[in-house]
Amino acid sequence: MPTFCRMAPLEAAGASCCRWPAIAGLAQTAPLRIVALGASNTAGWGVAASESYPAQLEALLAAKGMPASVANAGVPGDTSGAMLARLDREVPPGTHLVILQPGTNDERYSSAARMRTTNIAEIGRRLDGRGIKLVIIEKRVCWPNCRRASCARMAFTIRPRGYTLLAQRLRRVIIDALNKR
C-alpha cells in the first residue's frame, strides 16, 4: 500500500495529516528535495514564477530553518494520465517528497476522467516503490466553499493570494510530517 496523504480542506488546517518516520530527520542532514507535480495551478498560471505555490513553499520552508528545493513540475492543461507518463522524468533520484495536484483537467476531458483514480493510484504505487512520499492536493483544498460542477472550470482563477495560502498550508503539512517520528 503506497504511503500518501490527501490534504484536508482548509477549514481543518490544524489537523495532522499523516506520519512519515522515514523522512523525519532529513531537514537536519540535507536539503529536502520536493517535486510539485500538477497542472496549471502548480505551474502558477497567471502569476510570476516567484508567486507560484512551489516557489513560495521553498521560501517558507527556508524561513523556518528547513532548507529545501521545491521543483515546479506543473504543466498547464495536464491530466493525471500525462502526469503519470512524465513521472519518472520529473521526479529525479534523491527526491524525498512529491506534492501531486491532479487538478480538474481530467473532468474537462471526459475520457481522462474515467482513469483519474487509477492514474493517481499508480503514481502513488510508483513513488512508494522508490521510497518517495506523496502528498495529494485535491481541488477542494483550493476552493473549499465551491460545491458546483462549474467550479472545475474556474481552476485558472487562483490569484497570488490563493497561491500564498496554499503554500502556507503545505508548509504546515510538510513540517508536521517531518516532525513525526
Side-chain angles (χ1 to χ4, degrees), residues 103-110 112-113 116 138-139 149 151-153:
T104 59
N105 291 322
D106 285 335
E107 294 169 11
R108 291 175 50 208
Y109 309 112
S110 61
R116 186 177 196 272
E138 290 293 350
K139 65 182 176 235
C151 290
R153 293 188 302 271

Side-chain angles (χ1 to χ4, degrees), residues 32-111:
L32 182 63
R33 294 180 71 182
I34 300 171
V35 174
L37 182 65
S40 309
N41 291 324
T42 299
W45 184 263
V47 300
S50 63
E51 294 176 311
S52 69
Y53 88 77
Q56 291 189 55
L57 176 61
E58 184 173 306
L60 289 169
L61 289 169
K64 285 287 188 180
M66 301 177 75
S69 167
V70 183
N72 189 335
V75 174
D78 220 358
T79 63
S80 63
M83 291 172 210
L84 174 59
R86 63 188 175 91
L87 181 69
D88 292 333
R89 181 179 71 245
E90 298 286 9
V91 182
T95 299
H96 300 109
L97 183 123
V98 169
I99 302 165
L100 175 65
Q101 188 177 20
T104 59
N105 291 322
D106 285 335
E107 294 169 11
R108 291 175 50 208
Y109 309 112
S110 61
S111 61

Side-chain angles (χ1 to χ4, degrees), residues 84-171:
L84 174 59
R86 63 188 175 91
L87 181 69
D88 292 333
R89 181 179 71 245
E90 298 286 9
V91 182
T95 299
H96 300 109
L97 183 123
V98 169
I99 302 165
L100 175 65
Q101 188 177 20
T104 59
N105 291 322
D106 285 335
E107 294 169 11
R108 291 175 50 208
Y109 309 112
S110 61
S111 61
R114 292 189 299 269
M115 293 298 297
R116 186 177 196 272
T117 301
T118 302
N119 292 334
I120 293 169
E122 180 62 14
I123 289 169
R125 188 191 67 74
R126 288 188 189 179
L127 292 174
D128 190 58
R130 294 173 56 191
I132 300 170
K133 306 307 174 188
L134 175 62
V135 172
I136 300 172
I137 306 171
E138 290 293 350
K139 65 182 176 235
R140 71 176 192 267
V141 172
C142 300
W143 308 280
N145 298 320
C146 193
R147 307 279 186 242
R148 299 181 319 274
S150 64
C151 290
R153 293 188 302 271
M154 296 170 28
F156 59 89
T157 63
I158 291 183
R159 301 288 186 247
R161 179 70 179 137
Y163 289 115
T164 299
L165 292 172
L166 181 56
Q168 290 169 344
R169 172 78 166 96
L170 279 167
R171 180 194 66 198

